[in-house]
Amino acid sequence: METFHFRLNQEKFETTHYKISGEEVLKRGGLEPPTDYELLIKLNEKGFEPVQLNEQIDLREAGVEGFLAKPYKKLTISIDDQPVEIEECFSTPRKLLEKVGKNSESYFLNQMIEDREIGYRNDPNHKVSIRNGQKFYSYRLKQEITIYVNGTPEEWKSKTISFNEVVQLAFPKPPYSNVEYQVVYAEAQGNKEGTLAEGQEVKIKEGTQFDVTATDKS
């Protein structure tokens, strides 16, 4: 089955029908109700021309480059139950977080749709169509990295850890005097493994493992 493509605000869409109405274009882009938006069509060098909701566009015609949609007035959404006015049809979780003074390095955004949440934790630049009344909630990203020292999970805030710091986690109170320690690690950043010597440090990631043993020097 042949498919036909069009662009709406630089986003690409496809349909199996070569004719499409202005209303259908907006609905395909998630812009509802369509009556809240002005739709324009780009025709080569002629610039943009308005499209009526019931107007039929033939996608086979030469020169049809795409569509531009703009809200007739500011759209009001809520982030963490606080009203936020948006002037765009599309945005990203990163930009929405900035509207409430937060950044995507420390927070991620979820969208509420009826009784379920859609998460954008791993995609802060995802294109989100904006509609009146949408609800979003921000959540703080986990700041600590969970590592395992002799099988015990430990929360660590830095992206690196030194020999002495690992030993202190393994033996908060040294088992006896006159000892030397051996530190072996695995699943470090870059899936590296090896031995950590005194004065050295290693870059860690979630799940890095350390095996620390103490030996009497005498």
Side-chain angles (χ1 to χ4, degrees):
M1 181 178 295
E2 187 176 3
T3 58
F4 301 88
H5 300 88
F6 66 91
R7 289 185 177 276
L8 174 62
N9 290 14
Q10 302 304 315
E11 290 294 302
K12 191 174 182 180
F13 298 89
E14 65 178 36
T15 176
T16 55
H17 302 287
Y18 65 86
K19 281 195 174 182
I20 189 170
S21 70
E23 182 176 3
E24 290 171 323
V25 169
L26 290 168
K27 285 184 175 180
R28 289 298 304 275
L31 303 178
E32 298 190 58
T35 51
D36 282 353
Y37 301 88
E38 177 187 12
L39 184 64
L40 305 171
I41 187 171
K42 180 73 164 64
L43 297 172
N44 288 336
E45 302 302 321
K46 296 181 181 180
F48 288 96
E49 296 182 359
V51 177
Q52 303 302 314
L53 293 182
N54 60 356
E55 185 176 343
Q56 295 288 322
I57 302 298
D58 191 336
L59 298 176
R60 300 172 301 176
E61 289 186 5
V64 175
E65 293 190 355
F67 299 91
L68 174 68
K70 301 186 297 183
Y72 282 114
K73 57 183 179 180
K74 291 181 180 179
L75 304 172
T76 302
I77 64 173
S78 70
I79 302 177
D80 297 333
D81 295 323
Q82 300 297 316
V84 177
E85 289 190 337
I86 305 292
E87 298 181 356
E88 306 160 330
C89 296
F90 294 93
S91 191
T92 65
R94 183 189 302 276
K95 289 181 179 178
L96 293 176
L97 284 168
E98 290 173 355
K99 294 283 186 182
V100 291
K102 297 180 179 179
N103 63 71
S104 58
E105 301 298 321
S106 302
Y107 294 87
F108 67 95
L109 201 67
N110 281 2
Q111 180 183 354
M112 284 296 301
I113 298 181
E114 296 179 351
D115 59 347
R116 64 189 180 93
E117 281 189 88
I118 295 179
Y120 302 109
R121 177 170 186 154
N122 299 317
D123 195 2
N125 294 314
H126 182 86
K127 285 291 182 68
V128 180
S129 58
I130 303 298
R131 299 189 299 276
N132 264 321
Q134 282 175 300
K135 293 184 178 181
F136 297 87
Y137 291 92
S138 65
Y139 298 91
R140 180 178 287 276
L141 287 164
K142 181 180 177 183
Q143 300 298 309
E144 296 82 13
I145 299 173
T146 302
I147 60 176
Y148 295 86
V149 180
N150 290 350
T152 301
E154 303 282 357
E155 300 298 324
W156 195 252
K157 291 186 177 181
S158 175
K159 293 181 180 180
T160 61
I161 191 168
S162 68
F163 171 90
N164 289 337
E165 289 167 334
V166 175
V167 169
Q168 189 172 5
L169 289 175
F171 298 104
K173 296 181 180 179
Y176 37 74
S177 59
N178 197 33
V179 297
E180 62 181 6
Y181 300 97
Q182 183 180 41
V183 178
V184 178
Y185 64 86
E187 299 297 327
Q189 199 173 114
N191 292 325
K192 293 181 179 179
E193 58 183 33
T195 300
L196 193 62
E198 188 168 3
Q200 293 181 335
E201 63 179 23
V202 64
K203 293 181 179 179
I204 59 175
K205 66 176 184 178
E206 189 77 12
T208 298
Q209 301 173 23
F210 293 91
D211 183 18
V212 186
T213 54
T215 306
D216 191 347
K217 290 182 180 179
S218 60

